[in-house]
Amino acid sequence: MEKQPRLLSSQLLLKNRVFEVTLNRALLTWKEIQTKKKRVYGSIHSTFKVAGSYCVPVPEIVAVREAEADSRTKDEGRWQKLSQKPTEGYPCAFTVSYVERGRQHRWRCSDVTFHCSDWTLCQQWVQSIREQLLLLTSRPKHLLVYINPYGGKQQGKLIYEEKVAPLFSRASISTDVIVTEYANHARDHLKMEADLKKYDGVVCVGGDGMFSEIVHGLVSRTQADCGVDQNCAEEKLVPCGIRIGIIPAGSTDCICYATVGTNDPATSALHVIVGDHQPLDVCSVHHNNTFLRYSVSLLGYGFYGDVLADSERKRWMGPARYNFSGVKTFLTHHHYEGTVSFLPATDILGNPRDKTKCRAGCYICQHNGKLLSEEAQLHKMEEPVSCSETEGDWRVIRGKFLAINAATMSCACPRSPKGLSACGPHHRPHLAPGSTSCVTSCATPARPHPHPQVLLQLSILLKINFLRHLLRHTNKDDQFDLAFVEGGGARGGKRLFRQICRDHPACGCTPVNSSWNCDGEILPHATIEVGVHRQLIRLFARGIEDQPLFEDFCTPSVI
Ligand SMILES: CCCCCCCCCCCCC/C=C/[C@@H](O)[C@H](COP(=O)(O)O)NC(=O)CCCCCCCCCCCCCCC
Ligand SMILES: Nc1ncnc2c1ncn2[C@@H]1O[C@H](COP(=O)(O)OP(=O)(O)O)[C@@H](O)[C@H]1O
Ligand SMILES: [Ca+2]
């Protein structure tokens, strides 16, 4: 990093020890100065030695404030050593709150209090840090908060009041809070009433369904303001100008987990405070040229549709309803006949087994997902032909499916920390490359194909394999090396599935239709068209950071 000019540097006390504290535009650093007795030519000299050294990036400082009346009397001896005397009767200490990184991508707000020799110096420090914070223009100052009191374990209000509101107030963020009173309250308020010009962002306290309400409200509002017709499947949608923060308080919370790395309310609040940007792709779902819904996480027919339909009847169980309905659905083993048509994504990175990881500041997400490396060229040539037919550029798969899943993001969540998309080495695709990942688990093939990765198995074997496939969600293994699972990318901006046919007679043991699970909301239509809209929304998130090697709470970084 380019060396930044020093703005301020002083010797200050921290826990009764002397530190050299320095502020520049990028970093706040503090280095301990230990006094050590050293014998030189027979006389005792006091020499300084630099020991522990810590730093916090300025953008990760949450706030600075003057500390309350402090333990100055205790420090008297130390100040005398530094030949300084603290001013009587004034606060001579200031506290810096900053982001501290913990295990598994968790962030915490920590405090460090520095004691100054006089009031003027203390004021100078507080002022200088505040000035640096004011330069961070991407930080939100005024937020509109929607709380779903009904989702997850019905703790949304409590989570916000106890874990989030105190952090927002520490960061001097003002809020207007709406606790929703019915389903689609937040969506309709955003679409028709909210004065969005007043806010720097919208915060959603709830699960993926609540986030979906916010997305629908904002996207619909933006299209209405710009005269774009959502019913026209071919329309290019206009990106939303306002960012969304997600405080996880739902049952799966995969959009939060996949963009931050954990489902922890305080971590999410800190991501909002520091004002990061994470663009996300959004799928639009149409039926007969009528707009149905948007999807950001999972659009799943068959297994996940059936799990959802069953689990909604067991809401009283809370998040555990999915496990119960998951096992039940697995054991009932329904499969559905249908046709999937899609345009393979050959012009982007993020193929199955792509070696690049999508991490904070991802190169692929920032560079329009264009084919940029030789490695990607190679993927293009190796793209499997699979069991599908082709119709021009389109690939068509007909068969009996246990599940058809289109994941616009990794769908990583505590149940499946690596997510379920086929893209990326650990199945964590890019967050905004402009494609969706289509994973089909077929029961019987319409036509077997010799390619080893897409050869489909008979359904009795499939049942065993499907369990193995599910089990692999829970660990690091490759979910897509099983013979009956097909994974592939589908191109964005075009129709992904042309139709899932209802009219093929199914074999006697199978109900005719499942329903679509669209980000956890039931879509009753079977035939749908899906298109991907690149980077349509932006979150207050950084993407998943590379994990530090050390285990314990560790920031401020030790230099
Ligand atoms: C044997 C253990 C297998 C564990 C398999 C775990 C698979 C988890 C995949 C998770 C995909 C998540 C996609 C997320 C979608 C969400 O947008 C959406 C809404 O979120 P919200 O509740 O916050 O509003 N969530 C969902 O649709 C929930 C899907 C959850 C499915 C759980 C399935 C459990 C399956 C258990 C099968 C066990 C078979 C055992 C046989 C003896
Ligand atoms: N006040 C409310 N009362 C009832 N339902 C609500 C309310 N606010 C939002 N909802 C709806 O609650 C459903 C579940 O919310 P969600 O955040 O997805 O929680 P969960 O993760 O538990 O499913 C969503 O369909 C959402 O539209
Ligand atoms: Ca839900």
Side-chain angles (χ1 to χ4, degrees):
M1 193 193 292
E2 208 176 293
K3 205 161 164 46
Q4 298 279 346
R6 235 178 230 206
L7 297 171
L8 201 53
S9 186
S10 318
Q11 287 191 0
L12 305 176
L13 285 190
L14 163 59
K15 291 191 181 147
N16 216 18
R17 283 161 25 206
V18 186
F19 281 76
E20 178 74 33
V21 187
T22 306
L23 176 71
N24 64 34
R25 285 193 204 294
L27 293 172
L28 173 71
T29 48
W30 58 101
K31 295 178 190 168
E32 184 169 8
I33 299 167
Q34 286 178 339
T35 45
K36 188 180 164 197
K37 305 277 176 193
K38 189 177 169 192
R39 191 169 288 273
V40 183
Y41 302 124
S43 60
I44 303 286
H45 289 254
S46 205
T47 60
F48 289 108
K49 182 188 161 203
V50 174
S53 182
Y54 308 86
C55 75
V56 172
V58 169
E60 293 181 11
I61 295 177
V62 172
V64 59
R65 63 189 185 280
E66 283 150 15
E68 297 296 304
D70 54 86
S71 53
R72 206 182 314 136
T73 36
K74 248 186 11 206
D75 302 337
E76 289 281 320
R78 276 286 181 177
W79 288 123
Q80 275 157 18
K81 269 186 206 152
L82 288 172
S83 326
Q84 291 167 353
K85 205 169 173 349
T87 326
E88 294 296 327
Y90 291 98
C92 291
F94 64 94
T95 300
V96 178
S97 304
Y98 60 91
V99 170
E100 184 171 53
R101 282 175 181 71
R103 287 189 190 137
Q104 289 162 351
H105 305 287
R106 279 170 181 248
W107 287 8
R108 281 285 168 273
C109 183
S110 280
D111 286 346
V112 57
T113 298
F114 297 105
H115 296 253
C116 310
S117 59
D118 65 77
W119 182 79
T120 319
L121 183 64
C122 181
Q123 289 301 305
Q124 206 183 346
W125 269 98
V126 172
Q127 274 312 319
S128 301
I129 296 175
R130 283 203 182 131
E131 277 162 22
Q132 291 313 300
L133 296 184
L134 282 175
L135 296 176
L136 304 171
T137 49
S138 66
R139 287 195 172 198
K141 292 181 188 64
H142 196 41
L143 293 170
L144 176 56
V145 181
Y146 293 98
I147 303 176
N148 177 356
Y150 166 81
K153 296 180 183 161
Q154 309 196 330
Q155 302 286 300
K157 213 160 159 273
L158 200 71
I159 288 172
Y160 181 76
E161 279 161 8
E162 289 190 352
K163 308 229 166 109
V164 179
L167 289 174
F168 284 172
S169 103
R170 179 164 299 179
S172 305
I173 293 175
S174 61
T175 51
D176 287 335
V177 180
I178 296 175
V179 180
T180 62
E181 287 162 21
Y182 47 88
N184 294 325
H185 181 174
R187 182 197 69 182
D188 295 342
H189 186 262
L190 273 169
K191 203 158 136 182
M192 286 165 313
E193 279 178 58
D195 180 4
L196 294 177
K197 286 192 291 299
K198 272 171 52 186
Y199 305 102
D200 307 308
V202 175
V203 171
C204 159
V205 185
D208 294 342
M210 186 61 184
F211 178 75
S212 171
E213 280 201 30
I214 305 290
V215 168
H216 281 81
L218 282 179
V219 174
S220 298
R221 170 82 171 256
T222 309
Q223 308 322 305
D225 289 351
C226 299
V228 174
D229 178 9
Q230 291 184 102
N231 282 321
C232 176
E234 304 302 327
E235 280 269 46
K236 188 170 169 18
L237 299 181
V238 178
C240 299
I242 196 160
R243 281 173 289 170
I244 313 170
I246 311 175
I247 307 297
S251 301
T252 313
D253 299 321
C254 82
I255 300 158
C256 173
Y257 194 100
T259 53
V260 166
T262 182
N263 59 337
D264 173 58
T267 303
S268 290
L270 290 166
H271 276 263
V272 173
I273 289 168
V274 301
D276 280 327
H277 298 246
Q278 173 64 59
L280 278 191
D281 294 346
V282 175
C283 279
S284 61
V285 183
H286 286 78
H287 172 71
N288 286 344
N289 233 10
T290 306
F291 168 73
L292 297 180
R293 285 195 76 88
Y294 294 114
S295 167
V296 177
S297 62
L298 171 72
L299 195 50
Y301 190 81
F303 182 73
Y304 287 103
D306 294 349
V307 171
L308 181 67
D310 190 71
S311 68
E312 278 301 309
R313 293 190 284 269
K314 301 182 179 63
R315 266 211 169 258
W316 56 269
M317 290 173 85
R321 69 189 184 277
Y322 290 137
N323 303 341
F324 182 91
S325 299
V327 173
K328 186 176 155 193
T329 306
F330 175 81
L331 295 174
T332 51
H333 185 53
H334 289 151
H335 45 256
Y336 304 92
E337 204 162 321
T339 304
V340 183
S341 307
F342 64 97
L343 281 169
T346 51
D347 56 346
I348 55 152
L349 291 172
N351 272 290
R353 298 176 181 81
D354 164 14
K355 301 231 172 14
T356 52
K357 279 188 186 181
C358 184
R359 286 291 181 270
C362 176
Y363 180 77
I364 290 161
C365 292
Q366 282 173 11
H367 289 81
N368 294 332
K370 289 279 181 310
L371 180 68
L372 289 166
S373 72
E374 283 180 13
E375 188 192 14
Q377 284 285 3
L378 210 66
H379 277 304
K380 191 174 178 175
M381 291 182 326
E382 285 176 350
E383 196 227 331
V385 181
S386 92
C387 62
S388 61
E389 302 159 18
T390 52
E391 281 178 14
D393 283 350
W394 287 82
R395 291 212 353 228
V396 182
I397 302 176
R398 292 200 177 86
K400 287 180 189 159
F401 300 98
L402 277 177
I404 299 166
N405 298 332
T408 310
M409 52 157 50
S410 72
C411 293
C413 58
R415 269 191 196 83
S416 175
K418 303 287 172 192
L420 57 65
S421 167
C423 290
H426 300 296
H427 326 301
R428 190 176 270 144
H430 297 277
L431 288 167
S435 72
T436 190
S437 159
C438 169
V439 181
T440 55
S441 305
C442 304
T444 51
R447 193 188 314 154
H449 191 279
H451 193 286
Q453 275 175 17
V454 291
L455 184 71
L456 307 177
Q457 302 289 310
L458 288 174
S459 85
I460 182 78
L461 262 179
L462 185 79
K463 198 161 180 175
I464 298 161
N465 275 342
F466 192 63
L467 177 60
R468 279 174 59 206
H469 167 68
L470 286 174
L471 280 170
R472 282 165 190 233
H473 285 116
T474 60
N475 61 30
K476 289 189 183 121
D477 296 343
D478 189 338
Q479 302 150 30
F480 300 97
D481 65 356
L482 296 175
F484 73 104
V485 176
E486 171 156 356
R491 221 183 286 168
K494 304 266 177 69
R495 300 302 85 200
L496 166 61
F497 307 122
R498 263 196 225 148
Q499 55 176 346
I500 306 297
C501 297
R502 311 176 73 142
D503 47 9
H504 288 283
C507 70
C509 61
T510 301
V512 180
N513 284 327
S514 174
S515 45
W516 284 95
N517 174 338
C518 180
D519 293 7
E521 304 292 312
I522 295 170
L523 260 186
H525 307 76
T527 307
I528 58 169
E529 291 190 347
V530 182
V532 190
H533 298 269
R534 195 177 131 67
Q535 306 200 345
L536 196 65
I537 55 171
R538 279 181 311 150
L539 300 188
F540 285 111
R542 185 167 290 188
I544 296 176
E545 294 181 313
D546 276 323
Q547 280 279 71
L549 295 172
F550 36 85
E551 280 280 277
D552 294 315
F553 277 94
C554 47
T555 340
S557 323
V558 178
I559 305 171

